[in-house]
Amino acid sequence: MKLIVTGGAGFIGSNLILFLHENYPDVEILNLDKLTYASDINYLAPLKQSGRYHFKKLDLVDRVAVQKTVKTWKPDGVFHLAAESHVDNSIQGPEPFILSNVVGTFNILEECRQFWNSAESDPDSPKRFLHVSTDEVYGTLGDEGSFTETTPYAPNSPYSASKAGSDMIVRSYFHTFGLNTVITNCSNNYGPHQHDEKLIPTVIRKALKKEEIPVYGSGENVRDWLYVKDHCSALMTVFQNGKAGGHYNIGGENEWKNIDLVRSICDILNREVGEGPEDDYQNLITFVKDRPGHDFRYSVDIQKIKDELGWAPSENFMEKLAETVRWYIERYS
Ligand code: NAD
Protein backbone atom coordinates (compact mmCIF):
# COMPACT_ATOMS: atom_id res chain seq x y z
CA MET A 1 0.00 0.00 0.00
CA LYS A 2 1.35 3.41 -1.00
CA LEU A 3 0.98 6.07 1.69
CA ILE A 4 1.68 9.76 1.92
CA VAL A 5 2.64 11.07 5.35
CA THR A 6 2.67 14.88 5.48
CA GLY A 7 4.81 16.57 8.13
CA GLY A 8 6.90 13.43 8.47
CA ALA A 9 10.03 15.32 9.50
CA GLY A 10 8.31 16.73 12.59
CA PHE A 11 7.84 15.26 16.06
CA ILE A 12 4.86 12.94 15.60
CA GLY A 13 5.36 12.43 11.86
CA SER A 14 8.91 11.09 12.22
CA ASN A 15 7.84 8.74 15.02
CA LEU A 16 4.87 7.64 12.89
CA ILE A 17 7.00 6.88 9.82
CA LEU A 18 9.46 4.81 11.89
CA PHE A 19 6.51 3.00 13.49
CA LEU A 20 4.78 2.25 10.17
CA HIS A 21 7.99 1.19 8.47
CA GLU A 22 8.90 -1.19 11.30
CA ASN A 23 5.50 -2.76 11.85
CA TYR A 24 3.86 -2.82 8.41
CA PRO A 25 6.16 -4.37 5.79
CA ASP A 26 3.58 -3.90 3.03
CA VAL A 27 3.55 -0.10 3.26
CA GLU A 28 5.60 2.21 1.09
CA ILE A 29 5.79 5.75 2.43
CA LEU A 30 6.29 9.12 0.77
CA ASN A 31 7.10 11.80 3.35
CA LEU A 32 6.06 15.29 2.22
CA ASP A 33 7.51 18.01 4.40
CA LYS A 34 8.40 21.67 3.93
CA LEU A 35 11.25 21.26 6.46
CA THR A 36 10.35 24.24 8.65
CA TYR A 37 12.41 25.17 11.73
CA ALA A 38 10.36 22.57 13.69
CA SER A 39 11.51 19.63 11.57
CA ASP A 40 14.59 17.43 11.57
CA ILE A 41 14.93 15.06 8.64
CA ASN A 42 17.86 13.31 10.36
CA TYR A 43 15.39 11.47 12.59
CA LEU A 44 14.62 9.39 9.50
CA ALA A 45 18.25 8.66 8.66
CA PRO A 46 17.80 4.98 9.72
CA LEU A 47 15.47 4.57 6.69
CA LYS A 48 17.87 6.05 4.13
CA GLN A 49 18.64 2.68 2.57
CA SER A 50 15.05 1.47 2.63
CA GLY A 51 13.27 1.06 -0.68
CA ARG A 52 9.99 1.56 1.20
CA TYR A 53 10.68 5.12 2.35
CA HIS A 54 10.93 8.23 0.18
CA PHE A 55 11.16 11.92 0.97
CA LYS A 56 10.12 15.00 -0.98
CA LYS A 57 10.60 18.54 0.28
CA LEU A 58 7.32 20.25 -0.46
CA ASP A 59 5.23 23.14 0.87
CA LEU A 60 1.57 22.08 0.94
CA VAL A 61 0.62 25.68 0.22
CA ASP A 62 2.07 25.16 -3.30
CA ARG A 63 -0.99 23.68 -4.99
CA VAL A 64 0.74 22.91 -8.29
CA ALA A 65 3.49 20.95 -6.52
CA VAL A 66 0.92 19.08 -4.45
CA GLN A 67 -1.06 18.17 -7.55
CA LYS A 68 2.02 16.93 -9.41
CA THR A 69 3.13 14.84 -6.44
CA VAL A 70 -0.25 13.22 -5.80
CA LYS A 71 -0.67 12.35 -9.50
CA THR A 72 2.82 10.85 -9.70
CA TRP A 73 2.87 8.96 -6.39
CA LYS A 74 -0.73 7.66 -6.67
CA PRO A 75 -1.34 7.20 -2.94
CA ASP A 76 -3.77 4.66 -1.48
CA GLY A 77 -3.97 6.66 1.71
CA VAL A 78 -2.79 9.83 3.45
CA PHE A 79 -1.79 10.51 7.05
CA HIS A 80 -2.01 14.30 7.15
CA LEU A 81 0.08 15.73 10.00
CA ALA A 82 1.85 18.74 8.46
CA ALA A 83 1.04 21.87 10.40
CA GLU A 84 2.43 24.83 12.21
CA SER A 85 1.98 23.50 15.74
CA HIS A 86 3.24 25.89 18.42
CA VAL A 87 0.53 27.97 20.14
CA ASP A 88 2.96 30.72 21.26
CA ASN A 89 4.09 31.25 17.66
CA SER A 90 0.47 31.52 16.52
CA ILE A 91 0.03 34.42 18.95
CA GLN A 92 3.19 36.16 17.67
CA GLY A 93 2.25 35.66 14.01
CA PRO A 94 -0.89 33.76 12.97
CA GLU A 95 -0.47 33.93 9.18
CA PRO A 96 1.70 30.81 8.64
CA PHE A 97 -0.87 28.88 10.68
CA ILE A 98 -3.70 29.89 8.38
CA LEU A 99 -1.62 29.14 5.29
CA SER A 100 -0.13 25.77 6.28
CA ASN A 101 -2.96 24.44 8.42
CA VAL A 102 -6.00 25.64 6.48
CA VAL A 103 -4.82 26.22 2.88
CA GLY A 104 -2.29 23.36 3.06
CA THR A 105 -4.98 20.95 4.26
CA PHE A 106 -7.36 22.07 1.53
CA ASN A 107 -4.69 21.58 -1.15
CA ILE A 108 -3.75 18.00 -0.24
CA LEU A 109 -7.38 17.04 0.39
CA GLU A 110 -8.66 18.48 -2.89
CA GLU A 111 -5.82 17.00 -4.94
CA CYS A 112 -6.46 13.57 -3.38
CA ARG A 113 -10.17 13.89 -4.15
CA GLN A 114 -9.44 14.74 -7.77
CA PHE A 115 -6.91 11.93 -8.15
CA TRP A 116 -9.05 9.32 -6.39
CA ASN A 117 -12.01 10.23 -8.63
CA SER A 118 -9.91 9.94 -11.77
CA ALA A 119 -9.45 6.97 -14.07
CA GLU A 120 -5.80 6.84 -12.97
CA SER A 121 -6.77 5.64 -9.50
CA ASP A 122 -6.98 1.91 -8.67
CA PRO A 123 -10.67 1.10 -7.97
CA ASP A 124 -9.59 -1.35 -5.20
CA SER A 125 -7.50 1.24 -3.35
CA PRO A 126 -8.86 2.26 0.09
CA LYS A 127 -8.43 5.99 -0.80
CA ARG A 128 -8.45 6.95 2.87
CA PHE A 129 -7.58 10.41 4.15
CA LEU A 130 -6.68 10.54 7.86
CA HIS A 131 -6.55 14.07 9.23
CA VAL A 132 -4.57 14.39 12.45
CA SER A 133 -5.89 17.08 14.76
CA THR A 134 -5.82 18.19 18.36
CA ASP A 135 -8.06 18.28 21.43
CA GLU A 136 -7.41 22.05 21.54
CA VAL A 137 -10.21 22.58 18.97
CA TYR A 138 -12.76 21.98 21.75
CA GLY A 139 -11.61 24.98 23.78
CA THR A 140 -11.13 24.83 27.51
CA LEU A 141 -12.65 23.05 30.52
CA GLY A 142 -13.07 23.82 34.21
CA ASP A 143 -12.15 21.30 36.89
CA GLU A 144 -14.75 18.77 35.75
CA GLY A 145 -15.75 16.94 32.57
CA SER A 146 -14.05 15.77 29.37
CA PHE A 147 -14.33 16.50 25.66
CA THR A 148 -16.26 13.93 23.66
CA GLU A 149 -16.48 13.74 19.87
CA THR A 150 -19.79 15.65 20.06
CA THR A 151 -18.45 18.56 22.15
CA PRO A 152 -18.95 21.74 20.08
CA TYR A 153 -15.75 23.26 18.76
CA ALA A 154 -14.63 26.44 20.59
CA PRO A 155 -10.98 27.10 19.65
CA ASN A 156 -9.28 29.91 21.58
CA SER A 157 -5.88 30.40 19.92
CA PRO A 158 -5.03 31.07 16.27
CA TYR A 159 -3.37 27.61 16.28
CA SER A 160 -6.45 25.77 17.51
CA ALA A 161 -8.70 27.90 15.27
CA SER A 162 -6.63 26.94 12.22
CA LYS A 163 -6.82 23.26 13.20
CA ALA A 164 -10.59 23.56 13.78
CA GLY A 165 -10.94 25.14 10.34
CA SER A 166 -9.03 22.30 8.72
CA ASP A 167 -11.13 19.70 10.60
CA MET A 168 -14.28 21.33 9.22
CA ILE A 169 -12.98 21.26 5.65
CA VAL A 170 -12.13 17.55 5.98
CA ARG A 171 -15.55 16.86 7.53
CA SER A 172 -17.26 18.59 4.61
CA TYR A 173 -15.39 16.41 2.07
CA PHE A 174 -17.00 13.32 3.58
CA HIS A 175 -20.48 14.81 3.71
CA THR A 176 -20.35 16.57 0.34
CA PHE A 177 -18.16 14.32 -1.81
CA GLY A 178 -18.27 11.00 0.06
CA LEU A 179 -14.47 11.06 0.45
CA ASN A 180 -13.19 8.30 2.77
CA THR A 181 -12.04 10.67 5.52
CA VAL A 182 -11.44 10.20 9.20
CA ILE A 183 -10.43 12.79 11.81
CA THR A 184 -8.54 12.24 15.07
CA ASN A 185 -8.25 14.72 17.94
CA CYS A 186 -5.41 13.89 20.28
CA SER A 187 -4.18 15.32 23.56
CA ASN A 188 -0.57 16.42 24.30
CA ASN A 189 2.11 14.01 23.09
CA TYR A 190 5.50 13.46 24.71
CA GLY A 191 8.51 11.45 23.55
CA PRO A 192 11.66 11.79 21.45
CA HIS A 193 11.99 14.18 18.46
CA GLN A 194 9.94 17.07 19.86
CA HIS A 195 11.17 20.55 18.98
CA ASP A 196 13.11 22.45 21.68
CA GLU A 197 10.36 25.08 22.02
CA LYS A 198 7.76 22.71 23.52
CA LEU A 199 7.20 22.33 27.29
CA ILE A 200 9.04 19.10 28.12
CA PRO A 201 12.19 19.79 26.01
CA THR A 202 12.24 23.38 27.35
CA VAL A 203 12.22 22.21 30.96
CA ILE A 204 15.06 19.76 30.34
CA ARG A 205 17.14 22.16 28.22
CA LYS A 206 16.85 25.04 30.68
CA ALA A 207 17.53 22.80 33.67
CA LEU A 208 20.68 21.33 32.14
CA LYS A 209 21.94 24.87 31.41
CA LYS A 210 21.04 25.86 35.02
CA GLU A 211 18.74 28.55 33.64
CA GLU A 212 15.33 29.49 35.05
CA ILE A 213 12.64 26.97 34.08
CA PRO A 214 9.68 29.11 32.96
CA VAL A 215 6.19 27.98 33.99
CA TYR A 216 3.17 29.98 32.79
CA GLY A 217 0.94 31.61 35.46
CA SER A 218 0.89 29.51 38.61
CA GLY A 219 1.32 26.23 36.75
CA GLU A 220 -2.23 25.10 37.55
CA ASN A 221 -3.20 24.46 33.89
CA VAL A 222 -4.01 20.81 33.24
CA ARG A 223 -3.05 18.74 30.20
CA ASP A 224 -3.55 15.09 29.29
CA TRP A 225 -0.33 13.39 28.15
CA LEU A 226 0.07 10.48 25.72
CA TYR A 227 3.30 8.76 24.68
CA VAL A 228 3.92 9.49 21.00
CA LYS A 229 4.19 5.78 20.02
CA ASP A 230 0.76 5.19 21.59
CA HIS A 231 -0.53 8.00 19.36
CA CYS A 232 1.06 6.29 16.33
CA SER A 233 -0.64 2.97 17.11
CA ALA A 234 -3.97 4.78 17.55
CA LEU A 235 -3.53 6.51 14.18
CA MET A 236 -2.92 3.21 12.38
CA THR A 237 -5.91 1.64 14.18
CA VAL A 238 -8.13 4.49 13.03
CA PHE A 239 -6.66 4.42 9.52
CA GLN A 240 -7.37 0.70 9.20
CA ASN A 241 -10.67 0.34 11.01
CA GLY A 242 -12.20 3.76 11.68
CA LYS A 243 -15.60 4.46 10.14
CA ALA A 244 -15.63 6.60 6.99
CA GLY A 245 -16.53 10.14 8.02
CA GLY A 246 -15.66 9.15 11.60
CA HIS A 247 -14.19 11.32 14.28
CA TYR A 248 -12.15 9.82 17.14
CA ASN A 249 -10.64 11.32 20.26
CA ILE A 250 -7.24 9.95 21.32
CA GLY A 251 -5.70 10.49 24.74
CA GLY A 252 -3.74 9.02 27.60
CA GLU A 253 -6.31 9.25 30.43
CA ASN A 254 -3.38 10.85 32.18
CA GLU A 255 -3.99 14.41 33.38
CA TRP A 256 -1.26 16.49 34.97
CA LYS A 257 -1.06 20.04 36.27
CA ASN A 258 1.84 21.70 34.43
CA ILE A 259 3.63 22.43 37.69
CA ASP A 260 3.42 18.79 38.84
CA LEU A 261 4.74 17.59 35.49
CA VAL A 262 7.64 20.06 35.65
CA ARG A 263 8.44 18.92 39.21
CA SER A 264 8.43 15.27 38.09
CA ILE A 265 10.84 16.06 35.27
CA CYS A 266 13.10 17.84 37.77
CA ASP A 267 12.98 14.76 40.02
CA ILE A 268 14.04 12.55 37.10
CA LEU A 269 16.87 14.99 36.31
CA ASN A 270 17.93 14.92 39.97
CA ARG A 271 18.24 11.13 39.74
CA GLU A 272 19.80 10.99 36.26
CA VAL A 273 22.15 14.01 36.34
CA GLY A 274 22.08 15.28 39.92
CA GLU A 275 23.73 18.65 39.43
CA GLY A 276 20.83 20.99 40.18
CA PRO A 277 21.25 24.05 42.42
CA GLU A 278 21.33 22.80 46.03
CA ASP A 279 20.90 19.30 44.59
CA ASP A 280 17.45 20.02 43.22
CA TYR A 281 16.49 21.25 39.73
CA GLN A 282 13.13 22.34 41.17
CA ASN A 283 14.98 25.40 42.53
CA LEU A 284 15.14 26.68 38.94
CA ILE A 285 11.33 26.77 38.51
CA THR A 286 10.17 30.35 37.85
CA PHE A 287 6.58 31.45 37.30
CA VAL A 288 6.21 33.78 34.32
CA LYS A 289 3.38 35.95 32.94
CA ASP A 290 0.61 33.72 31.60
CA ARG A 291 0.08 33.18 27.87
CA PRO A 292 -2.86 35.28 26.55
CA GLY A 293 -6.03 33.17 26.27
CA HIS A 294 -4.28 30.23 27.98
CA ASP A 295 -6.77 27.33 28.09
CA PHE A 296 -7.10 26.09 31.68
CA ARG A 297 -7.74 22.39 31.22
CA TYR A 298 -7.98 19.81 28.43
CA SER A 299 -9.36 16.35 29.07
CA VAL A 300 -10.40 13.87 26.39
CA ASP A 301 -12.98 11.14 26.72
CA ILE A 302 -11.62 8.19 24.71
CA GLN A 303 -14.51 5.77 25.26
CA LYS A 304 -15.46 5.81 21.56
CA ILE A 305 -12.09 4.61 20.21
CA LYS A 306 -11.94 2.02 23.01
CA ASP A 307 -15.43 0.65 22.32
CA GLU A 308 -15.46 0.87 18.50
CA LEU A 309 -11.85 0.06 17.65
CA GLY A 310 -10.44 -1.64 20.75
CA TRP A 311 -7.56 0.85 21.12
CA ALA A 312 -6.32 2.05 24.51
CA PRO A 313 -3.05 3.65 25.61
CA SER A 314 -0.58 0.99 26.66
CA GLU A 315 2.59 2.71 27.86
CA ASN A 316 3.42 3.45 31.50
CA PHE A 317 3.69 7.23 31.93
CA MET A 318 6.48 7.40 34.53
CA GLU A 319 8.63 4.86 32.69
CA LYS A 320 8.19 6.58 29.33
CA LEU A 321 8.68 10.05 30.82
CA ALA A 322 12.00 8.93 32.33
CA GLU A 323 13.03 7.38 28.99
CA THR A 324 12.05 10.62 27.24
CA VAL A 325 14.07 12.73 29.70
CA ARG A 326 17.10 10.48 29.11
CA TRP A 327 16.72 10.96 25.34
CA TYR A 328 16.82 14.77 25.72
CA ILE A 329 19.71 14.63 28.20
CA GLU A 330 21.71 12.85 25.50
CA ARG A 331 20.55 15.32 22.83
CA TYR A 332 21.48 18.38 24.89
CA SER A 333 24.79 17.08 26.25
P1 NAD B 1 5.76 19.57 14.49
O1 NAD B 1 5.69 21.05 14.51
O2 NAD B 1 6.78 18.88 15.29
O3 NAD B 1 5.89 19.05 12.98
C1 NAD B 1 5.14 19.58 11.94
C2 NAD B 1 5.82 19.23 10.63
O4 NAD B 1 5.00 19.77 9.56
C3 NAD B 1 7.22 19.83 10.47
O5 NAD B 1 8.11 18.83 10.03
C4 NAD B 1 7.04 20.91 9.41
O6 NAD B 1 8.19 21.09 8.61
C5 NAD B 1 5.86 20.38 8.61
N1 NAD B 1 5.13 21.46 7.93
C6 NAD B 1 4.65 22.60 8.47
N2 NAD B 1 4.04 23.35 7.52
C7 NAD B 1 4.14 22.65 6.35
C8 NAD B 1 3.73 22.90 5.02
N3 NAD B 1 3.11 24.03 4.68
N4 NAD B 1 3.97 21.96 4.08
C9 NAD B 1 4.63 20.81 4.41
N5 NAD B 1 5.07 20.53 5.64
C10 NAD B 1 4.83 21.45 6.61
O7 NAD B 1 4.29 19.09 14.91
P2 NAD B 1 3.83 17.77 15.68
O8 NAD B 1 3.86 18.04 17.13
O9 NAD B 1 4.57 16.60 15.13
O10 NAD B 1 2.32 17.68 15.24
C11 NAD B 1 1.93 16.98 14.05
C12 NAD B 1 0.42 17.08 13.90
O11 NAD B 1 -0.22 16.53 15.04
C13 NAD B 1 -0.06 18.51 13.77
O12 NAD B 1 -1.09 18.54 12.81
C14 NAD B 1 -0.61 18.84 15.16
O13 NAD B 1 -1.65 19.78 15.08
C15 NAD B 1 -1.11 17.47 15.60
N6 NAD B 1 -1.12 17.26 17.06
C16 NAD B 1 0.03 17.44 17.80
C17 NAD B 1 0.02 17.17 19.17
C18 NAD B 1 1.26 17.32 20.02
O14 NAD B 1 1.18 17.17 21.24
N7 NAD B 1 2.43 17.58 19.45
C19 NAD B 1 -1.17 16.75 19.79
C20 NAD B 1 -2.31 16.57 18.99
C21 NAD B 1 -2.27 16.82 17.64
Side-chain angles (χ1 to χ4, degrees), residues 10-12 33-34 36 59-60 81 85 100 133 159 163 189:
F11 166 42
I12 302 171
D33 199 297
K34 180 182 172 183
T36 69
D59 183 348
L60 291 180
L81 290 90
S85 69
S100 287
S133 191
Y159 163 66
K163 292 298 292 186
N189 285 212

Side-chain angles (χ1 to χ4, degrees), residues 8 26 136 234 299:
D26 63 326
E136 300 189 31
S299 169

Side-chain angles (χ1 to χ4, degrees), residues 302-326:
I302 59 167
Q303 207 53 46
K304 181 176 173 184
I305 190 172
K306 282 179 161 175
D307 291 348
E308 258 187 41
L309 306 181
W311 177 89
S314 63
E315 300 291 359
N316 176 284
F317 180 64
M318 270 309 169
E319 273 173 35
K320 285 295 167 189
L321 184 65
E323 199 178 295
T324 299
V325 172
R326 285 194 287 273

Side-chain angles (χ1 to χ4, degrees), residues 7-13 32-36 38-39 58-61 80-85 100 132-135 159 163 186-189 194 198 231:
F11 166 42
I12 302 171
L32 299 182
D33 199 297
K34 180 182 172 183
L35 297 185
T36 69
S39 66
L58 181 144
D59 183 348
L60 291 180
V61 176
H80 175 46
L81 290 90
E84 290 290 341
S85 69
S100 287
V132 178
S133 191
T134 165
D135 61 353
Y159 163 66
K163 292 298 292 186
C186 189
S187 59
N188 280 35
N189 285 212
Q194 197 165 25
K198 298 288 169 64
H231 189 188

